[in-house]
Amino acid sequence: MSFSYVARRVGFFLFVVWLAATVIFVIVHLAPGDPISYQVGRMAAQGQGVQDGALLIAQYKKQFGLDQSLLHQYFAYMDQLAHGNLGYSITNFPTKTTLLVGQALPWTLGLLLTTIVISFVIGSLLGGLMAWRTTPRFVRSLLPGLMAFAAVPYYIVALGLLYVFAYRTQLLPANGARGVLNDSTGLAAIPDILRHSILPALSIIVAVIGFWMLGTRSTMISVLGSDYLLLAEAKGLSETRIFMRYAMRTALVPQITVLAVWIGGVLSGAILVETIFAYPGLGELLVTSINGRDYPVIEAVGLAIVVSTAGALLVLDLLFPLLDPRVRYERNS
Amino acid sequence: MNATAETASAVASAAGLGLQSPRSNSRGRLGLGLACGVLLALGPLVASWIARPFVSHHQVLLFAYDVTLRPSSAHLLGTDGQGRDVVATLVYGITPTLEIGLLAGVIGVIIGTVVGVVAGYMGGSVDAIIRTFSDVMLCIPAFALLVIIAALFGTLSVTWLGIAIALLSWPLPARAIRSQILSLREQNFVVMSKLSNRSGLSIMFLEILPNMLPYVMATFVGLVSFGLLTAIGLELLGLGPIGVVDLGSMIQSALTYGALSQGLWWWWAPPAILLVCLFLGLFFLSLTVDRISNPRLAGGRG
Amino acid sequence: MQRRKRVRLGPAMTALAVVAAITSAVVAATVANARTGTSAPRSRTLIIGQFRPPTGYIANPYLGASDSFVSDGLHQLVYEPLFYDNAETGKEEPWLATGFSYDKSYTHLTIQLRKGVKWNDGVALTSKDAVYTMNQILSTHPTPWRSGNMQASVASVRAKGPYAFVLTLKAPNPRFVYTDLSTYIYTSNFQVLPWHIFHTQKFTTFANFDLKKGWPIGTGPYRVTSATQTAVTLTRNDNWWALKTGFSHAPAPKQVVFTGPGPEDTAVANLEHNTLDYAGEIVPTVAGFITAQKANPKLINWSGQLGWDDPCPFSLTFNTLHKPWDDPQMRWALNYALNKSQFSSLFNSPGPASPAVTTFPAYDPFNALLKQNADLLKRYPTIKYSPQTTAQILQSKGYKQSNGKWIGPDGQPLAVTVNIFNAAALGPTWQNADNLVQQNLEQAGFTVNMQPGDFNAIIAARPSYSGGTANWDLQSWFECGSLTDPWATFNRYTGAPGNDNAGQWNNAQYNAIVKQMGQVAPGDKRIAAQFRKALSILLGELPVIALNQRPTPVVFNTTYWTGWPTAKNPWHVPAPWWQDFHQVVLGLKPAKG
């Protein structure tokens, strides 16, 4: 892996991040309304008759630099970003944006990472099995059912699960990340957290498993006739070993690249799942900050999403030659 | 340059979602899959068109009837929380739903195909620019961006929503088509056309493209699916087109009214079932068209 | 090569073993869920299903960011105001203060503080704290949260001994105690801050939150013991000053938890299974309450099926600067085209509709005044739905019908641009509300241009906030004004500068009457006559269309706690998000032993 390759990839990553930050900044500032007017309106909604509302708004705008030209604000924002400073939330001044994002991020990441890992592992395993010669029939018969689930959008699956497990019966909690009366912390909190994450995770997993199954099944089929598998069998290796270490390893490589590209879609999907299950993650933070036009927070969350997506691609691009030796040798030759 | 995206699109184009079977596929099985897909995907739409003369638009107005009536002979699926007849809402609601999906699919496939063909055929700097551009777009998640735009600017109309989805979802299909073109480019008939001095444009769109039609079809179905998924996701968040009553907004209405806990199954279940129908149909279509477009898959391996 | 029959552990079995391992881990987690409760038993815990995530944990009530955290139990149970104003009984309940007195010119206001009040860390509350707080408010620019009126009305403040302070007002203001020093719709604008904690901090950025130090420090009967993004827990303080002086008794709940009720279906389920002692205002809807009550008869509502009237009815404001809406008859023509009963049904379904006759909330003092003026309401039937009358008026103005649309004498269709809340602004019901308004107006022949917007879009279009000009003909809003005395609502429509009069209607005669009313103390006998004069002008001109009263289910669960205020026993305002909830908690009794 040459230095110029790494430099180009990292440069591309930075370019994408900069572009996304600019696009989000422009969109957010062009929208009608601003965080100050929102606050003032909220005061009015609570019955606080605001005298001289316009004057009050003008004063606060000055304090936060919102009265300057868009270009001026943009350069100030870029300067801030370059120093790694994500600024203060306007609606929740003097809270730092990083604090707000930091509170929400673990929930989203936790939910997403576990669902991605579980659905990828189980889905790929099952997919590989579907193509393997000696898989018993009853396992193969799972295929059409799980495929059908792949077709149905995950939020419909979520509604169905909610109806069955949370309303009809009370096996699982319908919303929230922690039980209301449960104030355990640290390791003791894990069972409670897990319990509340089962339904949201299950909705995503059930809907997504079929997708990985089909993909790995196809790649496995293209691997099946390979010579090295024949050699392994001739050497007398156990079937499990051949399956896991020889066949699956090769079959998984292209799937991992699909995973990287796919992460952006999953992040977006998390927004909807978090709304349905009232999970206090990035999705909820995004929706609240949009309603309040809290520019710094919207920009921070948007940036977090893009950085994760682009970052995943970057990481995989840099690791790819390690995964697939053909690429490594091709480049060096 | 972007090795991950390259391989991902190669996977999408070659293996894709095709059902490879070690045994060869009979034409009969392909035909069955196609029929199933078309029936499930387009059946509800056709049924709604047939039903329109019998169901007046008046029944979809707010407070046309009493609220939350159970299914009866007067109202086959009862009425919803705002007094609309549910059957009528379904009849008039399927069209906007499919409209968004089809719009997103058509525009997306046009952009994706043109961009992919041009990039794959022309190569060189044109290819590099297009590739970089689509790589950048791959990094920005479509749904999140649409949520931000719809929430900030007060939602989009049906047409604009379809266009917006198309504008955000063409990169991956474009990449996949480009991969196909790369392999087709070296084939004999293309070389012959080049030798016979035909213009690049006519070679691209009159020689290469017709060979890729089944593949473009597969892309189209995938885009329609994605468009529907995104649009309904937005509607569930309350960010769908205003004043339009379609399947997604029916479910959202039912949820916020509390139909789940009040047992008003006739309100939330029918649109959900119809949506599942639609998606299954599109799924079957994509499987079958994949098989048709990739003869290697249909032929199976020895 | 022959296929060997697999009998031993094949890859299929290995894979299934992996799947089984993952599944059993998850199941174990479900089963092993340690249902550790809080430190108090359920029967001594009060769980309120109303919550706004405390982004940032700002507890300084003069910072805008505190708005969410403060509503999660802080201003109810940790902070206490000078006076509680019981909007149901109309009585003032002096709390941290014992009374007030004006001089004859209504410009010098003396407040007497109660002796024996202590902050929760033991320091005594004196006039030093009150004077410090008011001085900070007066000297901070831009205006601190909720302090606009105080900055505009108060010239200076000084202490008068340790238990009294004097405010010098800029102009005679007989209502100042009522509007700013008492709890007035939701909270008291003036919250006394502890000098000994605040004076070392920067007033404009101090968050006042640090559980280890016991912050936020208040004088109230509870302290915050836990605050997360999903719940705030408050624990009873057995060293409360009111116990020592015998002024009050210990509240029965040992712990109070404020938490989110969840979306509609979840709230209903929680109420049915007694996981919540209260839910209301947003969820459940009327229909949800009915379902929940069927399953759990221990649930009660403030009143019947509909619940408690929020004091701010919804309305549509006319832009009186736009032709032809400067003509009162045209405004009435449009008013007749709106079916307010249907509009109200969207919010109240399946309960009865509650259209608003005027922009006053349907509280007893105003109902009585309106009854006295029933003849005016007959002459100006604001909630009558009559598209025929619309047609009559329009025809008399020279409009002609063509293809179901009204065309004016200049050949242009009669167009209305409606700037209205969408679902993101105030809830999903507004989606249907928008459709209904469009439907009503189009059926009456108007050419409608809908501009739905979320909260920000509406405010940005509102001249009283944005300072610009309005480009709409009708705008939705909510009329927050009077609670027991009619002056505040009337004042909304005067042409005074800086007033929240988005429609910019300016009637000199009306302005004069309202000014007179403002110079007279609440409860004065002259107000009734002034009310009639002002009302007749307001109804005749109709600058604002009142749409509906906003009853909201306020659901109490009597399984664990009784003594809740209801319409049959309205001993206090029931809203848990109001600061007055303090008094309700003091009045609750355990249901089970």
Side-chain angles (χ1 to χ4, degrees):
Chain A
M1 203 169 13
S2 62
F3 175 73
S4 74
Y5 176 70
V6 173
R8 264 185 301 149
R9 283 303 289 119
V10 171
F12 178 76
F13 170 74
L14 291 173
F15 173 71
V16 169
V17 168
W18 167 82
L19 188 67
T22 309
V23 166
I24 295 178
F25 177 89
V26 168
I27 292 180
V28 149
H29 278 84
L30 280 183
D34 60 79
I36 312 299
S37 311
Y38 176 73
Q39 291 279 63
V40 174
R42 280 208 62 86
M43 288 207 305
Q46 287 169 2
Q48 164 74 344
V50 184
Q51 286 293 114
D52 286 312
L55 186 61
L56 186 64
I57 292 177
Q59 285 177 329
Y60 269 108
K61 277 193 183 170
K62 188 144 186 265
Q63 185 188 30
F64 288 106
L66 292 176
D67 57 337
Q68 293 168 327
S69 74
L70 201 61
L71 205 59
H72 191 120
Q73 288 185 49
Y74 175 67
F75 283 120
Y77 176 58
M78 282 293 130
D79 181 53
Q80 209 182 21
L81 265 191
H83 288 96
N85 179 9
L86 285 172
Y88 289 93
S89 155
I90 295 182
T91 318
N92 298 293
F93 189 78
T95 321
K96 290 196 119 185
T97 334
T98 38
L99 177 74
L100 293 174
V101 174
Q103 273 169 357
L105 196 60
W107 293 112
T108 304
L109 271 187
L111 186 67
L112 282 183
L113 280 179
T114 31
T115 50
I116 291 178
V117 166
I118 292 181
S119 56
F120 186 70
V121 166
I122 298 185
S124 301
L125 266 177
L126 286 178
L129 278 181
M130 294 302 159
W132 198 247
R133 295 173 300 233
T134 56
T135 312
R137 194 150 283 168
F138 80 88
V139 177
R140 271 197 227 266
S141 62
L142 285 175
L143 180 65
L146 286 173
M147 248 173 53
F149 272 116
V152 176
Y154 55 91
Y155 37 78
I156 303 227
V157 175
L159 291 179
L161 288 175
L162 259 181
Y163 185 64
V164 169
F165 288 104
Y167 295 125
R168 271 285 181 216
T169 63
Q170 266 80 49
L171 288 173
L172 290 168
N175 69 304
R178 296 292 309 274
V180 165
L181 289 184
N182 192 323
D183 55 3
S184 46
T185 51
L187 281 179
I190 291 186
D192 186 42
I193 296 181
L194 269 179
R195 192 157 181 272
H196 278 84
S197 61
I198 287 181
L199 277 187
L202 209 58
S203 328
I204 303 182
I205 293 177
V206 162
V208 151
I209 248 184
F211 175 68
W212 294 120
M213 259 180 55
L214 285 173
T216 318
R217 188 179 182 279
S218 322
T219 50
M220 177 62 92
I221 289 176
S222 54
V223 160
L224 273 180
S226 309
D227 292 337
Y228 61 89
L229 284 186
L230 207 56
L231 178 64
E233 203 173 334
K235 282 207 289 189
L237 294 173
S238 80
E239 191 160 339
T240 314
R241 186 142 174 206
I242 301 178
F243 176 72
M244 287 296 189
R245 291 206 62 199
Y246 288 82
M248 278 300 280
R249 257 191 84 179
T250 326
L252 273 184
V253 168
Q255 289 299 90
I256 292 188
T257 65
V258 175
L259 180 67
V261 174
W262 197 68
I263 282 187
V266 183
L267 262 172
S268 304
I271 296 179
L272 195 49
V273 168
E274 283 175 13
T275 310
I276 296 179
F277 289 100
Y279 218 68
L282 277 184
E284 185 173 337
L285 184 62
L286 185 65
V287 170
T288 340
S289 58
I290 288 180
N291 280 339
R293 296 288 192 275
D294 196 352
Y295 300 141
V297 177
I298 304 177
E299 285 155 7
V301 174
L303 212 56
I305 294 180
V306 170
V307 165
S308 318
T309 318
L313 275 171
L314 173 68
V315 164
L316 251 103
D317 256 357
L318 293 179
L319 288 181
F320 198 64
L322 298 172
L323 284 173
D324 192 347
R326 293 174 293 181
V327 177
R328 201 189 313 152
Y329 291 128
E330 248 165 64
R331 285 198 190 282
N332 288 341
S333 66
Chain B
M1 177 179 139
N2 188 338
T4 313
E6 291 258 5
T7 320
S9 51
V11 170
S13 67
L17 287 178
L19 255 189
Q20 286 172 303
S21 173
R23 308 182 200 83
S24 65
N25 285 301
S26 62
R27 280 185 161 265
R29 284 180 88 189
L30 278 178
L32 185 66
L34 205 62
C36 259
V38 171
L39 191 68
L40 284 174
L42 294 180
L45 185 67
V46 171
S48 83
W49 285 341
I50 297 177
R52 274 205 196 192
F54 304 102
V55 175
S56 83
H57 193 263
H58 157 79
Q59 297 183 351
V60 187
L61 291 177
L62 288 155
F63 297 109
Y65 304 101
D66 288 331
V67 299
T68 60
L69 294 173
R70 296 192 76 95
S72 63
S73 48
H75 302 283
L76 284 176
L77 280 174
T79 59
D80 66 8
Q82 286 84 39
R84 288 178 283 234
D85 179 83
V86 175
V87 172
T89 336
L90 287 177
V91 165
Y92 286 97
I94 294 183
T95 321
T97 315
L98 279 175
E99 243 178 67
I100 303 178
L102 285 172
L103 203 60
V106 166
I107 300 181
V109 87
I110 291 177
I111 302 180
T113 314
V114 167
V115 169
V117 167
V118 166
Y121 184 77
M122 308 269 282
S125 51
V126 171
D127 183 25
I129 294 177
I130 293 183
R131 251 191 11 228
T132 318
F133 187 45
S134 68
D135 278 352
V136 169
M137 294 216 48
L138 275 178
C139 292
I140 301 181
F143 188 68
L145 193 62
L146 278 171
V147 165
I148 295 181
I149 294 179
L152 285 174
F153 291 98
T155 79
L156 309 153
S157 70
V158 167
T159 325
W160 279 108
L161 188 58
I163 296 177
I165 296 177
L167 286 177
L168 289 173
S169 57
W170 60 262
L172 202 56
R175 282 301 218 109
I177 291 183
R178 174 183 167 275
S179 307
Q180 283 290 85
I181 299 283
L182 282 180
S183 54
L184 273 181
R185 199 168 56 169
E186 311 305 323
Q187 300 240 346
N188 283 332
F189 71 95
V190 177
V191 177
M192 289 289 286
S193 309
K194 274 202 217 171
L195 288 176
S196 67
N197 226 1
R198 296 184 66 180
S199 77
L201 219 69
S202 71
I203 299 181
M204 278 193 275
F205 293 103
L206 296 179
E207 291 278 351
I208 299 185
L209 196 54
N211 282 285
M212 291 195 48
L213 266 181
Y215 193 74
V216 171
M217 281 301 298
T219 317
F220 172 68
V221 174
L223 279 171
V224 171
S225 242
F226 179 75
L228 272 180
L229 200 78
T230 314
I232 294 174
L234 281 176
E235 278 165 14
L236 280 180
L237 285 176
L239 297 170
I242 307 181
V244 172
V245 180
D246 67 359
L247 298 180
S249 76
M250 274 178 81
I251 299 182
Q252 193 247 357
S253 235
L255 280 181
T256 48
Y257 187 84
L260 268 185
S261 55
Q262 290 169 41
L264 305 174
W265 55 268
W266 59 90
W267 187 9
W268 59 268
I273 294 175
L274 269 180
L275 277 178
V276 171
C277 237
L278 272 173
F279 279 105
L280 275 178
L282 285 170
F283 187 64
F284 278 124
L285 274 179
S286 82
L287 286 185
T288 340
V289 178
D290 255 348
R291 266 193 254 181
I292 297 175
S293 72
N294 279 309
R296 285 178 289 156
L297 302 181
R301 312 191 110 255
Chain C
M1 193 190 278
Q2 261 189 324
R3 230 182 253 173
R4 291 170 286 184
K5 276 230 168 76
R6 282 297 127 203
V7 164
R8 297 194 287 275
L9 199 67
M13 292 303 133
T14 322
L16 285 179
V18 172
V19 174
I22 296 181
T23 319
S24 46
V26 169
V27 169
T30 317
V31 167
N33 175 46
R35 277 186 175 275
T36 59
T38 46
S39 33
R42 174 67 178 95
S43 60
R44 290 291 177 272
T45 311
L46 181 64
I47 307 182
I48 305 290
Q50 168 218 301
F51 187 73
R52 290 170 55 201
T55 43
Y57 301 102
I58 310 281
N60 176 351
Y62 293 100
L63 292 181
S66 67
D67 199 37
S68 44
F69 195 22
V70 157
S71 70
D72 296 331
L74 263 63
H75 77 149
Q76 297 99 322
L77 301 172
V78 179
Y79 300 146
E80 293 175 323
L82 293 176
F83 301 91
Y84 284 107
D85 192 349
N86 190 333
E88 285 296 330
T89 61
K91 291 207 182 69
E92 277 230 334
E93 293 162 14
W95 198 260
L96 294 185
T98 54
F100 67 93
S101 55
Y102 276 100
D103 67 341
K104 279 219 185 65
S105 63
Y106 283 114
T107 52
H108 289 90
L109 175 58
T110 310
I111 312 285
Q112 282 95 29
L113 292 173
R114 190 176 304 277
K115 296 194 180 62
V117 180
K118 286 201 187 352
W119 296 100
N120 280 335
D121 56 358
V123 176
L125 185 149
T126 62
S127 58
K128 187 177 185 184
D129 299 305
V131 170
Y132 166 80
T133 311
M134 186 56 88
N135 273 328
Q136 288 296 329
I137 291 174
L138 295 179
S139 60
T140 303
H141 296 282
T143 319
W145 188 244
R146 303 193 71 94
S147 308
N149 208 27
M150 289 188 275
Q151 267 195 357
S153 311
V154 178
S156 66
V157 61
R158 62 177 173 83
K160 191 174 165 191
Y163 295 109
F165 62 99
V166 182
L167 296 167
T168 308
L169 302 173
K170 289 181 186 160
N173 190 340
R175 285 180 171 72
F176 188 71
V177 173
Y178 181 57
T179 56
D180 287 85
L181 305 180
S182 317
T183 56
Y184 174 73
I185 302 186
Y186 175 66
T187 194
S188 163
N189 289 340
F190 184 69
Q191 308 273 10
V192 183
L193 298 175
W195 174 87
H196 64 287
I197 293 183
F198 268 76
H199 83 278
T200 52
Q201 310 281 353
K202 189 161 178 226
F203 183 72
T204 48
T205 56
F206 179 46
N208 193 25
F209 179 73
D210 187 336
L211 286 182
K212 290 196 199 74
K213 293 193 183 138
W215 298 349
I217 296 274
T219 58
Y222 289 86
R223 337 169 68 113
V224 178
T225 44
S226 150
T228 68
Q229 288 300 304
T230 47
V232 171
T233 309
L234 304 117
T235 311
R236 192 173 63 201
N237 175 19
D238 293 317
N239 288 324
W240 189 32
W241 63 268
L243 297 178
K244 300 275 172 58
T245 62
F247 179 63
S248 183
H249 58 274
K254 189 149 189 302
Q255 278 198 325
V256 182
V257 179
F258 278 76
T259 185
E264 175 73 20
D265 295 304
T266 313
V268 169
N270 281 332
L271 285 170
E272 288 174 3
H273 302 114
N274 297 323
T275 337
L276 285 180
D277 294 314
Y278 157 84
E281 194 204 6
I282 306 173
V283 289
T285 57
V286 174
F289 164 66
I290 296 176
T291 311
Q293 198 185 37
K294 266 200 210 114
N296 183 355
K298 292 234 172 194
L299 295 172
I300 58 172
N301 196 352
W302 163 263
S303 150
Q305 296 178 331
L306 290 183
W308 181 72
D309 270 331
D310 189 284
C312 313
F314 282 132
S315 65
L316 285 172
T317 314
F318 276 107
N319 185 354
T320 56
L321 296 180
H322 260 203
K323 287 194 183 306
W325 312 112
D326 53 344
D327 178 350
Q329 286 184 317
M330 291 298 289
R331 298 200 285 261
W332 267 98
L334 193 145
N335 183 49
Y336 279 120
L338 290 171
N339 189 334
K340 304 184 189 69
S341 291
Q342 273 186 350
F343 190 86
S344 178
S345 292
L346 285 175
F347 294 88
N348 298 356
S349 172
S354 59
V357 174
T358 64
T359 54
F360 285 98
Y363 292 164
D364 289 334
F366 307 122
N367 292 343
L369 280 168
L370 287 175
K371 222 183 187 169
Q372 290 170 9
N373 294 289
D375 58 319
L376 277 182
L377 292 176
K378 245 209 183 102
R379 202 192 323 163
Y380 301 111
T382 44
I383 56 174
K384 184 167 170 202
Y385 173 57
S386 169
Q388 306 93 309
T389 321
T390 309
Q392 275 172 7
I393 301 180
L394 289 176
Q395 270 162 356
S396 74
K397 293 274 169 185
Y399 286 90
K400 300 222 186 320
Q401 276 247 355
S402 148
N403 268 347
K405 297 268 168 234
W406 289 105
I407 311 287
D410 57 353
Q412 296 295 328
L414 179 55
V416 189
T417 304
V418 185
N419 185 245
I420 194 168
F421 292 123
N422 67 8
L426 287 176
T429 319
W430 275 92
Q431 214 162 19
N432 291 313
D434 293 354
N435 290 345
L436 186 63
V437 169
Q438 188 175 8
Q439 200 178 291
N440 280 163
L441 290 177
E442 280 178 351
Q443 276 176 336
F446 293 91
T447 306
V448 183
N449 173 17
M450 296 294 281
Q451 280 178 1
D454 70 354
F455 218 56
N456 292 279
I458 302 285
I459 293 192
R462 204 165 166 78
S464 27
Y465 295 120
S466 63
T469 49
N471 57 2
W472 40 265
D473 298 309
L474 271 184
Q475 190 188 54
S476 61
W477 198 241
F478 33 78
E479 304 293 314
C480 295
S482 299
L483 269 192
T484 46
D485 167 76
W487 175 82
T489 297
F490 276 137
N491 188 47
R492 291 180 59 81
Y493 314 118
T494 59
N499 210 5
D500 182 22
N501 184 357
Q504 300 182 308
W505 177 68
N506 204 344
N507 181 305
Q509 201 187 356
Y510 177 81
N511 293 347
I513 300 174
V514 176
K515 190 163 176 215
Q516 275 178 1
M517 199 188 282
Q519 287 163 341
V520 160
D524 192 295
K525 289 197 184 58
R526 287 170 277 180
I527 291 188
Q530 290 163 337
F531 180 89
R532 187 182 171 80
K533 281 200 211 125
L535 186 68
S536 72
I537 302 180
L538 202 59
L539 287 178
E541 293 273 325
L542 209 68
V544 174
I545 299 179
L547 285 172
N548 61 327
Q549 298 290 345
R550 297 167 59 194
T552 174
V554 171
V555 185
F556 300 118
N557 191 339
T558 54
T559 309
Y560 291 104
W561 298 101
T562 59
W564 304 98
T566 61
K568 292 204 189 82
N569 179 14
W571 59 274
H572 223 287
V573 166
W577 63 98
W578 283 31
Q579 190 167 21
D580 297 53
F581 192 58
H582 177 283
Q583 308 293 67
V584 177
V585 173
L586 280 179
L588 289 179
K589 295 182 187 38
K592 304 179 175 176

